[in-house]
Amino acid sequence: DESLWVNSKIQDVKTIVGVTIPEMIRANIRGWENAVAFECAESGRKYTHRQVLEQSRGFAAAMIQSGYKRGDVIGVVLHNIPEYCAILYGIWEAGLVASPVNPAYTAAEITRQLESSGAQGVVTLPDYLEACRAAKTANPKIKSIVIVGEPHEGCHSYYEMVKADTTGVDFAKGSQMDTLNDTILLPYSSGTTGLPKGVMLTHSNLTTNLLQSTHPTYIKANAFEGQNEQERLLGLLPFFHSYGLACILNVNMLKGSHTLTLPRFEVNSFVRAIRQQRPTIMHMVTPLINFMVNSADFTSKEFEATETVIGGAAPIGPSLINQLLEKANKHMLFQEGYGMTELSPVSHFSPLWTNNQKVGSCGCPVPSTSTKIVDVISGKTLPRFERGEICVRGPQVMKGYFNNEEATRNTIDVDGWCHTGDIGYYDNDDCLWIVDRLKELIKVKGFQVAPSELEDLLRGHEKVEDVAVIGVPDAEWGELPRAYIVKKDGQNLVEDELNHFLKDQVTSYKQLRGGIEFVKAIPKAPTGKILRRELLTAYKEMRGL
Ligand code: 4UV
């Protein structure tokens, strides 16, 4: 059995213990203090690496002075801004826990996450203040709101807070914490089944994963080391998601690079940002690659400075990747990562040696990581080229789901293997190929949509008797949520009514763009579990997919 495991062939990295992320970053600075770390593509607001770390200290001091205590949870409701990193690191330097929230969420969704995480504070922008105020009213535990912008009635101003005196402040020290067990990041993920849950990540998870994913097998030597010029990263993928947070924000700080932050995707500003910044590294998800391939605004000129395009978070077809490489009309490296919030988030990444010869694979296990492919029914470990569930074991595996031992037990087994709910196989070079998803999770443009969340809401509609939601394939969005509805006896119910019903409850990408179908019954196993596979198979057969 053990002989079939695929363990990383790269030399192990030691699990980092007793060090926080801000401490790791500070200790690693090598001459890039005064280089710009984050710059806003819209306003031009920018901060050097030194300024980010100074602001984080000021913000931490002010949070401690406002009465926040070690372990308190702070909801971070922000789009990508150049202050994001200082806010996050400030939360950590104050010994607090950050729970990043998608700012595009509706007030109801923000309220749910802040309630579930037990948040006692919120950091937000004026755009989302109304929603956060509603969440605060609904959650009396929330003591205060920090606003990044003009001072607002009843809010602390971030720009005032960062001026706080830091002398004698008791910042959180890794040496005085249990970095292997203290939760410091609480992002939300639905995992293999059910509603979104808080994923408990520690400093050790994040610092060690940062070393694992930036190993020289995967990325070039440090910017600013030797004759290298500073790497320029595009900061478009959201920092509230594990991918953007770890692979852009943290890597930017560790490597002394420059990230241009974009608040959201908008065609003109995206094209302008790329022409202005000439990124050397672009992190992308499928819809963005699709856009670049098909847009006349993108020619080989826009890729002139780009050395590497990195993708992940959802399947990317090899033909799309090859079209991108052709359009660039130069040698540009394409790398794919496989990650999951529960894995801090990286477990696989394309090594430099693949040199575009393994396009479509998401690479090899990162250092200090064991993996195996298991038969979904028997649980037996499978040999190379056989498809089964991907299981991962290593220092990046989360501590567990917040307040949900059952879900934790169902995901991390007694031997420490994290069952990813994804189906894949290995080739002879240890490269992993993802072929399917076993878990019910739907990925729309790389964003998570939990079928249970939509089902719960729809079940609350007065004319709905029963419901199932699945993800159906879509060329532009990756997947789209589609609902199967059983109407209550004698009720007259049309699609529009349900779309209208969901409109204000969930954010745009969770809307039922995959359609609604009225059915007599939902297929279920004797245990009551919805047989989503049957619905998807029938959907595909009907359309010849
Ligand atoms: O929990 P999550 O939303 O997390 C992510 C993380 C993606 C990352 C992270 C670091 C990287 O370096 C990187 O390239 C990508 O998405 O969703 C986890 C689920 O997303 C699907 C899969 O179903 C995971 O369980 N997924 C993630 N990466 C891939 C993928 C991929 N390369 N190919 C196919 N599906």
Side-chain angles (χ1 to χ4, degrees):
D1 197 28
E2 210 170 305
S3 66
L4 297 174
W5 296 358
V6 177
N7 301 330
S8 179
K9 300 271 192 306
I10 306 163
Q11 191 183 16
D12 283 354
V13 299
K14 257 174 78 183
T15 301
I16 302 180
V17 181
V19 177
T20 68
I21 297 175
E23 284 171 340
M24 176 190 192
I25 300 296
R26 280 176 205 280
N28 190 59
I29 290 193
R30 272 168 282 169
W32 52 69
E33 292 91 330
N34 298 319
V36 173
F38 294 97
E39 177 174 354
C40 173
E42 272 189 358
S43 69
R45 223 157 65 242
K46 59 185 170 193
Y47 306 102
T48 63
H49 281 263
R50 184 202 303 276
Q51 285 169 330
V52 169
L53 294 171
E54 278 170 4
Q55 270 193 18
S56 83
R57 281 274 163 101
F59 183 55
M63 288 299 275
I64 294 171
Q65 279 151 25
S66 334
Y68 286 105
K69 294 275 178 308
R70 301 277 142 108
D72 285 353
V73 176
I74 309 296
V76 180
V77 189
L78 301 172
H79 56 236
N80 288 10
I81 49 172
E83 293 83 1
Y84 203 111
C85 182
I87 290 165
L88 198 59
Y89 286 15
I91 288 172
W92 291 332
E93 299 227 48
L96 310 172
V97 180
S99 187
V101 183
N102 181 348
Y105 271 1
T106 62
E109 291 169 296
I110 296 176
T111 303
R112 276 200 293 277
Q113 183 174 330
L114 295 180
E115 189 174 359
S116 160
S117 63
Q120 304 199 340
V122 182
V123 185
T124 195
L125 284 155
D127 309 17
Y128 317 112
L129 183 57
E130 203 184 320
C132 289
R133 281 201 167 126
K136 183 171 182 286
T137 308
N139 288 306
K141 257 185 110 172
I142 299 174
K143 291 193 289 201
S144 61
I145 296 179
V146 175
I147 188 116
V148 188
E150 297 291 304
H152 279 70
E153 170 83 31
C155 299
H156 298 289
S157 159
Y158 171 78
Y159 295 115
E160 286 303 314
M161 291 174 83
V162 295
K163 295 180 198 154
D165 185 3
T166 56
T167 43
V169 175
D170 182 24
F171 295 113
K173 288 180 198 62
S175 58
Q176 291 168 4
M177 291 176 72
D178 182 353
T179 61
L180 286 167
N181 285 296
D182 295 345
T183 301
I184 55 110
L185 185 65
L186 196 61
Y188 271 66
S189 165
S190 66
T192 51
T193 181
L195 294 174
K197 296 170 275 292
V199 175
M200 296 191 288
L201 299 177
T202 65
H203 278 301
S204 290
N205 283 144
L206 294 175
T207 50
T208 309
N209 197 239
L210 205 44
L211 279 195
Q212 292 174 302
S213 62
T214 57
H215 191 275
T217 306
Y218 301 114
I219 71 165
K220 287 185 317 182
N222 267 322
F224 275 44
E225 257 183 15
Q227 301 302 312
N228 291 340
E229 64 175 315
Q230 196 182 20
E231 297 280 8
R232 297 184 299 277
L233 276 76
L234 191 72
L236 175 59
L237 300 191
F239 296 156
F240 65 78
H241 184 240
S242 64
Y243 183 3
L245 195 158
C247 303
I248 303 179
L249 185 144
N250 276 341
V251 169
N252 187 70
M253 291 306 286
L254 185 74
K255 292 293 173 185
S257 2
H258 171 273
T259 290
L260 189 69
T261 59
L262 278 87
R264 59 189 63 82
F265 176 78
E266 193 273 309
V267 172
N268 292 325
S269 58
F270 177 62
V271 176
R272 204 178 329 115
I274 288 191
R275 289 186 182 151
Q276 170 204 328
Q277 192 212 19
R278 299 167 51 82
T280 54
I281 300 176
M282 282 200 256
H283 283 277
M284 292 280 133
V285 288
T286 309
L288 293 171
I289 300 177
N290 204 33
F291 171 78
M292 293 195 296
V293 164
N294 292 304
S295 158
D297 285 326
F298 272 88
T299 63
S300 60
K301 199 159 169 44
E302 276 63 41
F303 294 105
E304 250 171 20
T306 309
E307 285 158 23
T308 314
V309 176
I310 301 173
I316 317 164
S319 70
L320 185 66
I321 301 168
N322 284 321
Q323 285 176 63
L324 177 77
L325 293 170
E326 271 163 41
K327 193 166 195 181
N329 192 27
K330 59 173 268 204
H331 187 81
M332 183 169 83
L333 182 66
F334 183 84
Q335 292 175 294
E336 186 168 339
Y338 168 74
M340 181 165 147
T341 309
E342 289 82 344
L343 296 172
S344 306
V346 190
S347 69
H348 293 72
F349 204 76
S350 309
L352 295 171
W353 62 256
T354 54
N355 199 20
N356 296 347
Q357 299 305 303
K358 296 271 185 184
V359 155
S361 153
C362 55
C364 307
V366 296
S368 306
T369 302
S370 299
T371 73
K372 60 180 181 180
I373 305 288
V374 302
D375 185 276
V376 171
I377 313 236
S378 70
K380 274 214 186 105
T381 304
L382 299 171
R384 286 168 203 270
F385 294 103
E386 286 193 30
R387 299 166 173 212
E389 185 178 14
I390 302 155
C391 297
V392 175
R393 193 163 75 175
Q396 71 272 57
V397 175
M398 65 166 175
K399 222 170 55 138
Y401 291 114
F402 184 55
N403 285 340
N404 199 333
E405 279 174 33
E406 190 191 347
T408 304
R409 269 198 311 274
N410 290 334
T411 304
I412 307 172
D413 66 24
V414 286
D415 298 315
W417 291 100
C418 175
H419 294 250
T420 63
D422 291 307
I423 304 287
Y425 69 87
Y426 276 107
D427 66 18
N428 282 329
D429 300 310
D430 285 3
C431 284
L432 178 68
W433 301 76
I434 310 267
V435 293
D436 200 358
R437 201 180 294 132
L438 181 65
K439 56 188 168 193
E440 60 192 38
L441 170 66
I442 304 169
K443 277 255 156 150
V444 182
K445 293 190 166 180
F447 290 116
Q448 288 204 3
V449 180
S452 312
E453 183 183 357
L454 296 177
E455 287 162 3
D456 274 6
L457 290 171
L458 290 166
R459 229 173 256 124
H461 190 282
E462 56 187 9
K463 296 180 184 170
V464 171
E465 172 75 34
D466 202 1
V467 54
V469 172
I470 62 166
V472 294
D474 180 83
E476 193 187 336
W477 298 65
E479 285 177 281
L480 289 174
R482 176 179 176 84
Y484 294 81
I485 305 278
V486 181
K487 294 181 211 177
K488 278 200 176 135
D489 260 355
Q491 290 287 357
N492 180 15
L493 175 64
V494 293
E495 275 191 45
D496 272 357
E497 257 175 287
L498 290 172
N499 285 328
H500 186 74
F501 176 73
L502 280 185
K503 199 163 183 307
D504 294 329
Q505 301 200 63
V506 292
T507 190
S508 166
Y509 63 82
K510 296 186 191 172
Q511 302 295 324
L512 299 171
R513 287 198 177 79
I516 296 174
E517 195 172 320
F518 294 100
V519 292
K520 294 225 159 58
I522 303 293
K524 285 185 186 158
T527 56
K529 197 173 166 233
I530 297 170
L531 297 172
R532 294 173 209 280
R533 279 276 144 179
E534 280 191 13
L535 292 169
L536 182 61
T537 307
Y539 175 89
K540 286 185 173 166
E541 272 169 10
M542 283 286 290
R543 287 159 184 80
L545 298 172

